[in-house]
Amino acid sequence: MRKQFKGIVLLVAVMVFSIVATACGNGGGTSGSGGSVSVGIVLPTKDEPRWVQDEQRFKDALAGTDYTTEILFSQGSSAKEKENVETLLNKGIKILIICPQDGDAAAAAVEAAKKDGVTVIAYDRLITNTDAVDYYVTFDSLAVGAAQGQYLIDNAKASGQPLYLYAGAATDNNAFLFFQGAWEVLQPKIADGTFKIANSTEAEKLKDTKDLSRDQMSSIIGQVTTNWDPNEAKNKAQTHLTAAAADMKGDVSILAPNDGTARSIADVFGSDSEVTSYVITGQDAEQASIQYIIDGKQSMTVFKDVRTLVKDAMGMAVEVLDGKTPETTGSYNNGSVDVKAKQTDVIVVDKENLQKELIDSDYYKAEDFTGL
Ligand code: BGC
């Protein structure tokens, strides 16, 4: 009931804003040249389907409104990201919604925005070690990792199953949260022999430590990072399997941090004749990974409904523009300050529930897939 009420308030706020905002309306998310822009959106890269998905969801949410927004991509470069922020500042943005390429490096860009009196909303990834972040909209990233770890536990075939660990980019604060969430549930099962670590001497050294420090996590992530790059993930997986003794093959479990890396790691494990079966995690519910799950090549994904994140970010932007204080649900310490945050839950998806969670909820259309 309360949720519904909040939804109506937000809808009204959005409608009012649509009417009030008159300058060069560009509902599609790109501004006319030279016009002023109220809300600037900066996303990390077009090379990963996850962020193209976010762009599309922003566009869908903005269609038919008069938001004056512009979406720019940083293409994996912090320098380009800084340039994008400057471009938007020159267009007079009041709000910056930014998903950093590199959490630390983005500090300079948002500090420039703050100097211009702009409200900064970190989107999905936290910007670290600066006080120039006002708000953070995010999914529950610890829960993402915990869900991945739990899935591996629930689907392990036998005791002593080899466990291959992979992580995201160390420049992304989320990579730590995902790993921490997974490690906290996996560690007791490593300590009791349910799993044996196959590809990280650092993780092996820390197998009796449940609460890892940031430095300890860094030492493991340093060994098993994919840098969020499917090619790097593939090369690492190949190297690991080449080095693996026979007792590290057979039925195996693989912690893959996201869908893009999961698919390439799965391809490598799937083509090794000594790997009898594998269970592999993912996240993002990318269309290609949903097809992999239908085909039995990826085991699960963690569905993060980007529509909610977009709605939260734009809802916050509208409230700030209206002179109000956005509602938040908690905070995240970014190494410098506690950043007020709005957090969204995640949903585990596998073969059993993908129809209900992704098709029936209109996230994807049934005809996007074969063999459903
Ligand atoms: C996001 C994930 C994404 C990854 C790689 C993370 O910060 O939360 O959804 O898969 O970055 O882009």
Side-chain angles (χ1 to χ4, degrees):
M1 190 59 195
R2 200 168 137 65
K3 252 197 182 148
Q4 227 172 27
F5 175 71
K6 271 197 248 160
I8 292 166
V9 171
L10 179 62
L11 190 71
V12 172
V14 166
M15 285 165 65
V16 169
F17 178 73
S18 312
I19 296 160
V20 171
T22 48
C24 87
N26 58 74
T30 50
S31 77
S33 59
S36 73
V37 175
S38 297
V39 183
I41 301 164
V42 178
L43 296 174
T45 178
K46 265 192 189 236
D47 295 341
E48 290 175 39
R50 159 71 214 263
W51 306 112
V52 178
Q53 205 182 121
D54 289 62
E55 178 193 33
Q56 191 53 50
R57 302 296 179 184
F58 267 110
K59 286 184 175 169
D60 292 348
L62 294 163
T65 73
D66 281 333
Y67 285 119
T68 54
T69 63
E70 179 157 345
I71 305 176
L72 297 176
F73 281 89
S74 309
Q75 292 312 101
S77 151
S78 295
K80 174 84 183 149
E81 180 177 81
K82 179 104 197 303
E83 206 181 292
N84 284 341
V85 170
E86 274 153 15
T87 302
L88 293 167
L89 292 178
N90 286 333
K91 293 192 178 185
I93 54 163
K94 300 277 178 292
I95 315 280
L96 174 66
I97 297 175
I98 174 168
C99 180
Q101 172 55 35
D102 172 321
D104 274 344
V110 297
E111 279 158 16
K114 270 317 297 173
K115 262 200 200 120
D116 269 18
V118 166
T119 298
V120 175
I121 303 174
Y123 178 85
D124 194 283
R125 296 177 179 169
L126 191 54
I127 297 153
T128 37
N129 296 312
T130 174
D131 61 3
V133 195
D134 297 285
Y135 297 103
Y136 180 32
V137 287
T138 182
F139 293 102
D140 185 346
S141 296
L142 280 175
V144 171
Q148 294 171 333
Q150 193 57 48
Y151 198 91
L152 296 180
I153 294 170
D154 293 344
N155 291 283
K157 285 204 166 157
S159 190
Q161 184 142 322
L163 171 65
Y164 290 79
L165 300 169
Y166 296 94
T171 50
D172 176 3
N173 189 56
N174 285 348
F176 287 82
L177 297 173
F178 301 144
F179 191 82
Q180 182 187 340
W183 182 263
E184 279 167 6
V185 299
L186 286 170
Q187 183 274 332
K189 295 290 174 187
I190 297 167
D192 78 4
T194 305
F195 293 112
K196 50 184 186 196
I197 296 169
N199 65 334
S200 168
T201 49
E202 292 294 330
E204 179 63 31
K205 261 195 250 166
L206 291 160
K207 70 171 187 232
D208 294 317
T209 310
K210 189 169 181 197
D211 296 319
L212 297 176
S213 67
R214 183 110 179 164
D215 282 350
Q216 287 171 325
M217 268 192 280
S218 284
S219 70
I220 303 175
I221 294 174
Q223 281 188 323
V224 300
T225 183
T226 60
N227 272 318
W228 292 133
D229 175 356
N231 271 323
E232 192 165 333
K234 179 178 158 205
N235 293 338
K236 277 219 160 130
Q238 273 164 348
T239 306
H240 292 151
L241 279 183
T242 306
D247 71 332
M248 287 297 180
K249 295 199 175 175
D251 298 318
V252 306
S253 303
I254 309 161
L255 177 73
N258 75 347
D259 284 350
T261 55
R263 292 192 302 277
S264 61
I265 296 169
D267 289 346
V268 173
F269 278 77
S271 59
D272 187 315
S273 60
E274 289 162 29
V275 172
T276 326
S277 77
Y278 64 86
V279 179
I280 187 165
T281 60
Q283 78 166 298
D284 293 333
E286 284 182 7
Q287 195 177 318
S289 277
I290 301 311
Q291 189 61 57
Y292 260 51
I293 292 175
I294 296 167
D295 296 341
K297 296 198 284 188
Q298 184 176 323
S299 314
M300 62 87 85
T301 186
V302 182
F303 172 37
K304 310 200 297 189
D305 192 333
V306 171
R307 294 170 299 191
T308 310
L309 206 62
V310 164
K311 196 174 93 208
D312 284 349
M314 287 310 297
M316 262 187 189
V318 168
E319 293 199 85
V320 173
L321 287 167
D322 279 356
K324 296 190 190 124
T325 305
E327 217 180 287
T328 47
T329 52
S331 68
Y332 275 76
N333 189 281
N334 77 343
S336 168
V337 285
D338 286 329
V339 184
K340 281 183 243 146
K342 184 140 200 291
Q343 185 166 290
T344 293
D345 290 340
V346 297
I347 299 169
V348 174
V349 167
D350 67 3
K351 238 182 194 159
E352 301 307 315
N353 66 345
L354 72 84
Q355 170 78 35
K356 171 174 167 273
E357 298 296 348
L358 297 174
I359 311 295
D360 299 350
S361 76
D362 288 331
Y363 201 73
Y364 288 124
K365 296 189 188 71
E367 57 264 34
D368 293 337
F369 305 100
T370 55
L372 196 65

